Structures are given as C-alpha cells and as structure tokens.
Amino acid sequence: QVQLVESGGGLVQPGGSLKLSCAASGSISSINTLGWYRQAPGKERDLVASITSGGSTNYADSVKDRFTISRDSAQNTVYLQMNSLKPEDTAVYYCNARRVSGTVYFMSYWGKGTLVTVSS
C-alpha cells in the first residue's frame, strides 16, 4: 500500500501564494506518476497538475501559467507551488499516486486532501 499525506493548505487572499506538499510512503516502487487534483463543492474532482518519474509535467489550462509541480524522487515528495491565486482556485486539493501506461492506470492512491481557500 501507499500512504499520501498532504500539507500546506490554508486561507489566502487573491493574488497570494501557497505551496502544497505531499509525502509518499509505503510500497511505491511501481508508482510512476504523482499529481494534484482538486474538488470544489458541487464540482467533480479534476486534475490540476501531474509529474512523471522522468520529470514530464502536465497542467490544467486554468493553472498552467500560475502553478508549478515538482517532485523529489529521493524523498518521495511532490510539491505544488501556487501563485496568483484566484477565488476559483478554492477547493480541497488531493495528492494522487499512480502507475500509468498511456491513458490507463493500474493503481491509484489518494491522500485525505488539504483545503485551500482563496478569499475575495
């Protein structure tokens, strides 16, 4: 099993910044992709950003110029630097770990989530 623990959420004003962290532990040898998802009330859980073991990144269009995902493979930690935050960024942010091949994933693990609130 894989355990994921998020941290770094909180309350921030529009235009502010936050950095989220996710620490992965357990049986992670087969994991090749780490990502951040978010879910706002009344909305589906959507991908924010992902990063592969090789360092390739993918971002949602809504955050591409503002957020940066990074991975520390040695420490099994993934980060999400969030800048220029907007009220619509308000959501619970979840860390995800997967084994991905093309569009198919064979395993997926989730953290409990951390709440990010951007006030208006």
Side-chain angles (χ1 to χ4, degrees), residues 7-88:
S7 62
L11 175 65
V12 64
Q13 296 187 44
S17 298
L18 283 175
K19 187 173 185 178
L20 306 182
S21 299
C22 173
S25 61
S27 183
I28 60 174
S29 61
S30 63
I31 297 296
N32 64 5
T33 305
L34 294 171
W36 289 96
Y37 291 70
R38 67 186 181 186
Q39 186 169 26
K43 303 290 186 179
E44 294 185 343
R45 187 177 299 186
D46 294 325
L47 175 69
V48 177
S50 64
I51 186 168
T52 70
S53 58
S56 298
T57 58
N58 183 60
Y59 296 91
D61 289 342
S62 59
V63 307
K64 190 172 184 177
D65 296 326
R66 300 182 295 119
F67 293 8
T68 302
I69 189 170
S70 59
R71 177 176 180 170
D72 185 338
S73 59
Q75 300 184 35
N76 303 120
T77 304
V78 63
Y79 305 93
L80 185 68
Q81 177 66 51
M82 305 184 294
N83 299 324
S84 302
L85 284 162
K86 304 174 180 179
E88 53 263 42

